[in-house]
Amino acid sequence: MTAAQLAQHDSGPALVAYLSQSDASPTVCDLHALSPHVSKITPDIRAALVDGMMDGKINPVLWRRCVDILVERLPRQEAAPLFDDLVRAYRRNLADSDLERDPSHAQRLATLHRLYLERPAGLDGNLKVREAMSEEIRAALAKGQLGPVATHFGQELVATIEVENGRWQGHVVDAAMMDALAASGNEMTLTRFVERLPSAELREQAQRRILRVHIALSPFQEVRDGAAAVEETLIREGHNRIALKEHPLLSATLDASKTVIRDVLVRQHVWTRNATLLSYAASRSTLSVLPEVSFRGALWAKLQKISRPVSVCEHWKNLDPSPCIAAEDVSLDNPVAYRGSGGDFHFRDEVGVAEVVALAKNDKFVLPVKIGGRPAASLDWGLSYEKPEDLAFDGPSSGGVGPRLKVRVERPTATRFVFSVSAPQGTYTAVVEASNVHDFHVVSRGAPGLPGATGNKGSPGAAGAECSDGERGGDGGPGSDGERGGDGGEIVVDGTCASASCPDTVELLRTIILSVGGLGGPAGAGGAGGPGGPGGSSRSPSTHINSYGESVTDDPGCSSGSNGSAGAPGASGSPGRAGRPGKVTFRFVPTGGP
Amino acid sequence: MVVLASVRQACSLTLGVLLASVGCATPYAYSFRLENQEARPAARPEQRDVAADADVRAEILVDPTGARAILLDLTNKTDQVLQVEWGQITMIRSDGSSTSPRPHVDLGWILPGATINARLVPFALPPAGDRAASYQGSRFELVIPMIVRREPKLYRYSFTVSVHSM
């Protein structure tokens, strides 16, 4: 299911079906995305989303990204019910004994757990739902009712709820505590503070301590030297963006181990003049949607006056003080690629015919990367076109001549053909791989002839008189002949070809660009013979008693007559003749090349 | 070689309407053998496998049925602080799926020459039955991101699993 199809269905099951695919993009969860997405979050969609992950249909990592986007983009009052659903699912699954022995189950619960602990400050569901969960878990922990895995989750949840009240391990959280944590490099606790402390001021204080840890560990000398300024920049902007005017690009490389590599398959819908882009990978056997592409940690650039290569800025939550390139300074020069709101690149999976043809000009699906408008690197994916449906055009009505076609054949690459066919109803285009071209056809076909009419039925035989037979039915009339099929339409084929290969090209095209006569109409069947007339009725004998008391037969009577025989069926007509092929003219211009 | 804690609850009592029956599945213990080239396998079951390079020494005991945890002692052999991305540790199974165990208490960086004892939870596998037996011969990889001498590094510890009926 493509993102466009999901947007059409716009339902919980469709969202689960989309997200359960390899390479699915979480941007379908972004209600404000430029790309196709769900239009609203209904209770059904919320329930399907939570169940989809807990049932193992949606990968937990992708699910988390989807929910993070939802939570970030939804108005708070609409995000709150989602947390109620999450809390209910959490309670249900914490008590499930599978948690103690199934690593996948534990990972799914851990995903819910982390989402809840790391939710944006101030965002929560219904207080009663939360309190019920909290009390239930505290009671279960106190009574030792939970297994080791569930106990771990329960204890961490309870401890983190304490942070929401400004306390940690029984002590009030203050600057001194945070300094001590920073001095020991304890990012884990400081991160809890950033996420859960009740006041924005305290959260910022915790954030600054994490930054100090990161700055102390930074491999960039200039970061450590300018620690205070870098800290302020990160607090203000979320990252340490480099101004490319002051630090121009010197060179760039892509780290192959962190770069998404796929091959693209174009599935054309020739009659609706569009196509679906799908992807396949060496590591899996099934087609899927196109992946998103992130250059964070994959694209590395050397910039003037920066001591080490830098990559694309991380999400602000990572509090990474490394100098970095802003996501908006990176562009991908591909007509179907666009940058999403998170800075990663996505692809439109439904494209028009003009883009289908434009893509065919390259052997590969080329993704040239620019940094600050300057060419930096290129990512080349495989590109192939699935064999499209034949471009076959029929005559307009029974026995009609096939339409006149004007066909333009181009070879954008040595391994690909582009057929543009102008017919009375419009122009249609198909891109065909050379390896498939023998199985593809352009056809002008005469319409089939009308079928012959069925002969008249024979008349019924007359009924027999009393005691006599019915008459024979009349014979059926002959069927008429089928009509002639329409002739194939005239086709003119234009194109260019390298001088040496022109004869071969034309010979090949003669086998696949065809004008075909329509089939003759089928013969009309002979009419059925009429039924024989029914036999006449019988007559009973009649007697009387004479004066001697004897019985005297006046009339011996008779038996009933036989039914007449049916008439013979009429003769069938002859099938119509097939139409004749039309003229096909090839006008190829040698280009002079080999 | 790491042999794990006993399995206590392999049998369960189920009550029918009139009959009581005891359903037992075969209990299993798991052995996680560290396969890294530089690894030194444990001499005894309760000991830890050891892997070390010039910067980091790791002692690992995987206990998916008893503690349901990975016990990890990390020693910083460098002269600078060593930071472990404790929240980014993953245990990847041969089918590509993964779990993300975290320290059961919050931890920080490791000072030069110091050792930190981490108990990574949860990490649980089925203690009994066919699902447990199906892990025989499977491979796991514990991936630990660290910042060593200010450089991000991924430490990968590969294990092969043996499953023994008890």
Short mmCIF file of all heavy atoms in Angstrom, two decimals, chain A residues 140-183:
data_model
loop_
_atom_site.label_atom_id
_atom_site.label_comp_id
_atom_site.label_asym_id
_atom_site.label_seq_id
_atom_site.Cartn_x
_atom_site.Cartn_y
_atom_site.Cartn_z
N ALA A 140 1.28 -3.58 42.93
CA ALA A 140 1.84 -4.85 42.44
C ALA A 140 3.31 -4.97 42.82
O ALA A 140 3.78 -6.06 43.18
CB ALA A 140 1.68 -4.91 40.92
N LEU A 141 4.03 -3.85 42.77
CA LEU A 141 5.45 -3.88 43.16
C LEU A 141 5.58 -4.19 44.65
O LEU A 141 6.41 -5.01 45.06
CB LEU A 141 6.12 -2.54 42.85
CG LEU A 141 6.41 -2.24 41.37
CD1 LEU A 141 6.86 -0.78 41.21
CD2 LEU A 141 7.49 -3.17 40.83
N ALA A 142 4.71 -3.56 45.46
CA ALA A 142 4.79 -3.75 46.90
C ALA A 142 4.50 -5.20 47.27
O ALA A 142 5.10 -5.75 48.19
CB ALA A 142 3.81 -2.82 47.60
N LYS A 143 3.59 -5.82 46.54
CA LYS A 143 3.21 -7.20 46.86
C LYS A 143 4.10 -8.22 46.13
O LYS A 143 3.87 -9.43 46.26
CB LYS A 143 1.75 -7.43 46.46
CG LYS A 143 0.77 -6.65 47.32
CD LYS A 143 -0.64 -6.86 46.78
CE LYS A 143 -1.63 -5.94 47.48
NZ LYS A 143 -2.91 -5.90 46.79
N GLY A 144 5.04 -7.74 45.33
CA GLY A 144 5.93 -8.66 44.61
C GLY A 144 5.19 -9.50 43.60
O GLY A 144 5.53 -10.65 43.33
N GLN A 145 4.14 -8.90 43.00
CA GLN A 145 3.31 -9.68 42.07
C GLN A 145 3.86 -9.70 40.65
O GLN A 145 3.35 -10.42 39.81
CB GLN A 145 1.90 -9.08 42.04
CG GLN A 145 1.12 -9.29 43.32
CD GLN A 145 -0.20 -8.54 43.32
OE1 GLN A 145 -0.30 -7.47 42.72
NE2 GLN A 145 -1.18 -9.08 44.00
N LEU A 146 4.85 -8.88 40.38
CA LEU A 146 5.34 -8.78 39.00
C LEU A 146 6.59 -9.62 38.83
O LEU A 146 7.40 -9.78 39.75
CB LEU A 146 5.64 -7.32 38.65
CG LEU A 146 4.47 -6.35 38.73
CD1 LEU A 146 4.94 -4.92 38.44
CD2 LEU A 146 3.36 -6.73 37.75
N GLY A 147 6.78 -10.14 37.61
CA GLY A 147 8.00 -10.87 37.29
C GLY A 147 9.17 -9.91 37.17
O GLY A 147 8.99 -8.68 37.21
N PRO A 148 10.38 -10.41 36.97
CA PRO A 148 11.56 -9.55 36.93
C PRO A 148 11.48 -8.48 35.83
O PRO A 148 11.87 -7.33 36.05
CB PRO A 148 12.71 -10.52 36.64
CG PRO A 148 12.22 -11.85 37.06
CD PRO A 148 10.74 -11.84 36.89
N VAL A 149 10.97 -8.85 34.66
CA VAL A 149 10.93 -7.88 33.56
C VAL A 149 9.91 -6.79 33.88
O VAL A 149 10.19 -5.59 33.77
CB VAL A 149 10.59 -8.59 32.23
CG1 VAL A 149 10.41 -7.57 31.11
CG2 VAL A 149 11.69 -9.59 31.87
N ALA A 150 8.72 -7.22 34.29
CA ALA A 150 7.67 -6.25 34.61
C ALA A 150 8.10 -5.38 35.79
O ALA A 150 7.79 -4.17 35.84
CB ALA A 150 6.37 -6.97 34.92
N THR A 151 8.81 -5.96 36.74
CA THR A 151 9.28 -5.19 37.90
C THR A 151 10.21 -4.07 37.44
O THR A 151 10.12 -2.93 37.92
CB THR A 151 10.01 -6.11 38.89
OG1 THR A 151 9.06 -7.07 39.38
CG2 THR A 151 10.58 -5.33 40.06
N HIS A 152 11.10 -4.39 36.51
CA HIS A 152 12.01 -3.35 35.99
C HIS A 152 11.22 -2.19 35.41
O HIS A 152 11.48 -1.02 35.74
CB HIS A 152 12.92 -3.96 34.93
CG HIS A 152 13.43 -2.96 33.95
ND1 HIS A 152 14.34 -1.97 34.32
CD2 HIS A 152 13.14 -2.75 32.65
CE1 HIS A 152 14.59 -1.22 33.25
NE2 HIS A 152 13.88 -1.66 32.23
N PHE A 153 10.24 -2.51 34.57
CA PHE A 153 9.45 -1.43 33.97
C PHE A 153 8.71 -0.64 35.04
O PHE A 153 8.68 0.59 35.03
CB PHE A 153 8.45 -2.00 32.95
CG PHE A 153 9.09 -2.47 31.66
CD1 PHE A 153 8.94 -3.77 31.23
CD2 PHE A 153 9.84 -1.60 30.88
CE1 PHE A 153 9.52 -4.20 30.04
CE2 PHE A 153 10.43 -2.02 29.70
CZ PHE A 153 10.27 -3.33 29.28
N GLY A 154 8.08 -1.38 35.97
CA GLY A 154 7.30 -0.73 37.01
C GLY A 154 8.15 0.20 37.87
O GLY A 154 7.75 1.34 38.16
N GLN A 155 9.31 -0.28 38.26
CA GLN A 155 10.18 0.54 39.13
C GLN A 155 10.63 1.81 38.40
O GLN A 155 10.65 2.90 38.98
CB GLN A 155 11.39 -0.28 39.57
CG GLN A 155 11.04 -1.32 40.63
CD GLN A 155 12.21 -2.24 40.96
OE1 GLN A 155 13.15 -2.38 40.18
NE2 GLN A 155 12.14 -2.88 42.12
N GLU A 156 10.98 1.66 37.14
CA GLU A 156 11.45 2.85 36.41
C GLU A 156 10.31 3.86 36.24
O GLU A 156 10.51 5.07 36.35
CB GLU A 156 12.03 2.47 35.04
CG GLU A 156 12.71 3.67 34.40
CD GLU A 156 13.30 3.39 33.03
OE1 GLU A 156 12.97 2.36 32.42
OE2 GLU A 156 14.08 4.24 32.56
N LEU A 157 9.12 3.33 36.00
CA LEU A 157 7.97 4.22 35.82
C LEU A 157 7.70 5.00 37.11
O LEU A 157 7.52 6.23 37.09
CB LEU A 157 6.74 3.41 35.42
CG LEU A 157 5.54 4.25 35.05
CD1 LEU A 157 5.67 4.77 33.63
CD2 LEU A 157 4.26 3.45 35.17
N VAL A 158 7.70 4.29 38.23
CA VAL A 158 7.41 4.93 39.51
C VAL A 158 8.49 5.98 39.83
O VAL A 158 8.20 7.10 40.26
CB VAL A 158 7.31 3.87 40.63
CG1 VAL A 158 7.29 4.52 42.00
CG2 VAL A 158 6.05 3.02 40.43
N ALA A 159 9.76 5.61 39.57
CA ALA A 159 10.85 6.55 39.84
C ALA A 159 10.73 7.81 38.98
O ALA A 159 11.01 8.93 39.43
CB ALA A 159 12.19 5.87 39.58
N THR A 160 10.28 7.63 37.75
CA THR A 160 10.19 8.78 36.85
C THR A 160 9.00 9.66 37.22
O THR A 160 9.05 10.88 37.05
CB THR A 160 10.12 8.30 35.39
OG1 THR A 160 11.23 7.42 35.17
CG2 THR A 160 10.22 9.45 34.43
N ILE A 161 7.94 9.04 37.72
CA ILE A 161 6.81 9.84 38.18
C ILE A 161 7.26 10.76 39.32
O ILE A 161 6.82 11.90 39.46
CB ILE A 161 5.63 8.93 38.60
CG1 ILE A 161 5.02 8.29 37.34
CG2 ILE A 161 4.57 9.70 39.37
CD1 ILE A 161 3.98 7.22 37.62
N GLU A 162 8.22 10.26 40.12
CA GLU A 162 8.76 11.05 41.21
C GLU A 162 9.43 12.33 40.66
O GLU A 162 9.32 13.41 41.25
CB GLU A 162 9.79 10.20 41.99
CG GLU A 162 10.15 10.77 43.33
CD GLU A 162 11.34 10.05 43.98
OE1 GLU A 162 11.92 9.14 43.35
OE2 GLU A 162 11.70 10.41 45.09
N VAL A 163 10.09 12.18 39.50
CA VAL A 163 10.76 13.35 38.90
C VAL A 163 9.72 14.41 38.53
O VAL A 163 9.97 15.61 38.65
CB VAL A 163 11.57 12.93 37.65
CG1 VAL A 163 12.22 14.14 36.99
CG2 VAL A 163 12.63 11.90 38.01
N GLU A 164 8.55 13.96 38.13
CA GLU A 164 7.50 14.91 37.76
C GLU A 164 7.09 15.76 38.97
O GLU A 164 6.52 16.84 38.81
CB GLU A 164 6.29 14.18 37.19
CG GLU A 164 6.60 13.56 35.83
CD GLU A 164 5.47 12.70 35.29
OE1 GLU A 164 4.42 12.60 35.94
OE2 GLU A 164 5.66 12.13 34.20
N ASN A 165 7.38 15.24 40.15
CA ASN A 165 7.11 16.02 41.37
C ASN A 165 8.35 16.73 41.87
O ASN A 165 8.40 17.18 43.03
CB ASN A 165 6.54 15.09 42.45
CG ASN A 165 5.23 14.48 42.01
OD1 ASN A 165 4.39 15.16 41.42
ND2 ASN A 165 5.05 13.19 42.25
N GLY A 166 9.40 16.78 41.05
CA GLY A 166 10.60 17.53 41.41
C GLY A 166 11.54 16.79 42.35
O GLY A 166 12.40 17.41 42.97
N ARG A 167 11.39 15.46 42.46
CA ARG A 167 12.24 14.70 43.37
C ARG A 167 12.90 13.53 42.65
O ARG A 167 12.36 13.00 41.66
CB ARG A 167 11.42 14.18 44.56
CG ARG A 167 10.77 15.29 45.37
CD ARG A 167 9.92 14.72 46.49
NE ARG A 167 10.72 14.12 47.55
CZ ARG A 167 11.29 14.80 48.54
NH1 ARG A 167 11.15 16.11 48.60
NH2 ARG A 167 12.00 14.19 49.47
N TRP A 168 14.05 13.14 43.13
CA TRP A 168 14.74 11.98 42.56
C TRP A 168 15.38 11.20 43.69
O TRP A 168 16.14 11.75 44.48
CB TRP A 168 15.80 12.45 41.55
CG TRP A 168 16.64 11.33 40.98
CD1 TRP A 168 17.97 11.15 41.14
CD2 TRP A 168 16.20 10.26 40.13
NE1 TRP A 168 18.39 10.04 40.46
CE2 TRP A 168 17.31 9.46 39.83
CE3 TRP A 168 14.94 9.88 39.62
CZ2 TRP A 168 17.24 8.33 39.02
CZ3 TRP A 168 14.87 8.74 38.82
CH2 TRP A 168 16.00 7.99 38.52
N GLN A 169 15.01 9.97 43.80
CA GLN A 169 15.51 9.07 44.84
C GLN A 169 15.38 9.69 46.24
O GLN A 169 16.30 9.68 47.04
CB GLN A 169 16.96 8.68 44.54
CG GLN A 169 17.06 7.86 43.25
CD GLN A 169 18.46 7.45 42.87
OE1 GLN A 169 19.43 8.08 43.29
NE2 GLN A 169 18.57 6.41 42.06
N GLY A 170 14.24 10.30 46.45
CA GLY A 170 13.92 10.84 47.77
C GLY A 170 14.44 12.24 48.03
O GLY A 170 14.19 12.81 49.09
N HIS A 171 15.18 12.81 47.10
CA HIS A 171 15.74 14.15 47.30
C HIS A 171 15.14 15.14 46.30
O HIS A 171 14.79 14.77 45.18
CB HIS A 171 17.26 14.13 47.11
CG HIS A 171 17.95 13.17 48.04
ND1 HIS A 171 18.18 13.46 49.37
CD2 HIS A 171 18.44 11.92 47.85
CE1 HIS A 171 18.78 12.42 49.95
NE2 HIS A 171 18.95 11.47 49.03
N VAL A 172 15.08 16.40 46.77
CA VAL A 172 14.61 17.45 45.87
C VAL A 172 15.68 17.68 44.80
O VAL A 172 16.87 17.74 45.10
CB VAL A 172 14.36 18.76 46.66
CG1 VAL A 172 14.04 19.91 45.71
CG2 VAL A 172 13.24 18.56 47.66
N VAL A 173 15.23 17.78 43.56
CA VAL A 173 16.18 18.03 42.47
C VAL A 173 16.58 19.51 42.48
O VAL A 173 15.71 20.39 42.45
CB VAL A 173 15.55 17.67 41.10
CG1 VAL A 173 16.51 18.02 39.98
CG2 VAL A 173 15.17 16.20 41.06
N ASP A 174 17.87 19.76 42.56
CA ASP A 174 18.34 21.15 42.52
C ASP A 174 19.63 21.23 41.70
O ASP A 174 20.12 20.21 41.18
CB ASP A 174 18.56 21.69 43.94
CG ASP A 174 19.54 20.83 44.74
OD1 ASP A 174 20.26 20.02 44.12
OD2 ASP A 174 19.56 20.96 45.97
N ALA A 175 20.19 22.43 41.60
CA ALA A 175 21.37 22.64 40.76
C ALA A 175 22.56 21.82 41.25
O ALA A 175 23.32 21.27 40.45
CB ALA A 175 21.73 24.13 40.73
N ALA A 176 22.68 21.69 42.56
CA ALA A 176 23.81 20.94 43.10
C ALA A 176 23.73 19.47 42.70
O ALA A 176 24.73 18.85 42.31
CB ALA A 176 23.84 21.08 44.63
N MET A 177 22.51 18.92 42.78
CA MET A 177 22.34 17.52 42.37
C MET A 177 22.70 17.37 40.88
O MET A 177 23.38 16.43 40.48
CB MET A 177 20.90 17.06 42.61
CG MET A 177 20.66 15.61 42.20
SD MET A 177 18.92 15.15 42.19
CE MET A 177 18.64 14.81 43.91
N MET A 178 22.24 18.33 40.09
CA MET A 178 22.50 18.25 38.65
C MET A 178 23.99 18.40 38.35
O MET A 178 24.53 17.73 37.48
CB MET A 178 21.69 19.31 37.91
CG MET A 178 20.20 18.97 37.88
SD MET A 178 19.32 19.96 36.69
CE MET A 178 18.49 21.11 37.74
N ASP A 179 24.66 19.27 39.09
CA ASP A 179 26.11 19.43 38.89
C ASP A 179 26.84 18.12 39.20
O ASP A 179 27.76 17.72 38.49
CB ASP A 179 26.65 20.55 39.78
CG ASP A 179 26.30 21.92 39.22
OD1 ASP A 179 26.02 22.00 38.00
OD2 ASP A 179 26.29 22.89 39.99
N ALA A 180 26.39 17.47 40.26
CA ALA A 180 27.03 16.21 40.63
C ALA A 180 26.81 15.15 39.54
O ALA A 180 27.71 14.39 39.20
CB ALA A 180 26.47 15.73 41.97
N LEU A 181 25.61 15.13 39.01
CA LEU A 181 25.31 14.17 37.93
C LEU A 181 26.16 14.49 36.69
O LEU A 181 26.69 13.58 36.05
CB LEU A 181 23.82 14.21 37.58
CG LEU A 181 22.88 13.62 38.64
CD1 LEU A 181 21.44 14.02 38.36
CD2 LEU A 181 23.00 12.10 38.69
N ALA A 182 26.28 15.77 36.38
CA ALA A 182 27.09 16.16 35.21
C ALA A 182 28.56 15.79 35.43
O ALA A 182 29.24 15.33 34.51
CB ALA A 182 26.95 17.66 34.94
N ALA A 183 29.02 15.96 36.67
CA ALA A 183 30.42 15.65 36.96
C ALA A 183 30.70 14.16 36.81
O ALA A 183 31.83 13.76 36.53
CB ALA A 183 30.76 16.10 38.38
#
